[in-house]
Amino acid sequence: MNERVLICYGTRYGSTGEIAENIGETLRNRGATVDVVNLKQNKVKDLEIFDFIIVGSGIQMGRWTKEPLKFIKKNRDILSRKKVALFVSCMSATKPETCAQGRRDYLDKINTEFPEIEPVSMGLFGGMIDPTRGGRMTKGLMTALLKEFTKEGEEPPEYVDLRDWEQIRLWAENLTPDAF
């Protein structure tokens, strides 16, 4: 069977888009036909043609990006009849002591707000600390965060990538093991 999969996402600085593309590549390698859509740049016209819909968002300042939230609200009826998975990219996923809270705040909360949508899986992935992405305020925050990853007396790195690509690949492979 060749399922048609939509991966749609919201990202502020590109990290979540890179995760979405990686998930898409993993599913293509398993035989799925995959469309990856940045909801800030494009609209999805016909959800009925997809067998499986994956919605992802970056998290900043404790919030999903607005485009995937609007997408879920607008399409909640169709999503309630489809196989759906959710994922977020956030700093909470990078530390064992904050993972459970991140899952509650960013995934379980969406599940509670849209009880008619029953995700088959929810992924919580790390993000990037990259001061070259974003506006002045974000760059300042990112630069300060980089110092947390710097040993005393060393120069801070240009960026820190906290995404676990193996975890992301395994999550994608396990979404629907027999479907593709």
Side-chain angles (χ1 to χ4, degrees), residues 42-55:
N42 297 295
K43 302 285 184 228
V44 181
K45 295 187 178 24
D46 184 8
L47 291 180
E48 293 295 346
I49 65 172
F50 296 100
D51 302 299
F52 191 9
I53 300 169
I54 302 168
V55 184

Side-chain angles (χ1 to χ4, degrees), residues 6-18 20-21 35-44 54 56-57 65-68 71:
L6 170 65
I7 303 172
C8 56
Y9 66 92
T11 188
R12 288 178 181 86
Y13 308 114
S15 179
T16 305
E18 293 165 357
E21 290 292 344
D35 293 5
V36 180
V37 176
N38 179 339
L39 292 169
K40 192 172 198 171
Q41 298 172 348
N42 297 295
K43 302 285 184 228
V44 181
I54 302 168
S57 180
T65 54
K66 63 183 173 184
E67 294 84 11
F71 176 84

Side-chain angles (χ1 to χ4, degrees), residues 80-115:
S80 72
R81 299 188 314 264
K82 297 280 185 180
K83 284 189 286 188
V84 174
L86 305 174
F87 76 90
V88 295
S89 172
C90 66
M91 298 310 289
S92 297
T94 63
K95 298 177 185 172
E97 63 273 14
T98 58
C99 270
Q101 187 65 45
R103 179 168 290 282
R104 284 190 298 273
D105 290 348
Y106 309 129
L107 292 167
D108 294 344
K109 182 178 177 186
I110 294 296
N111 230 11
T112 301
E113 288 179 31
F114 303 97

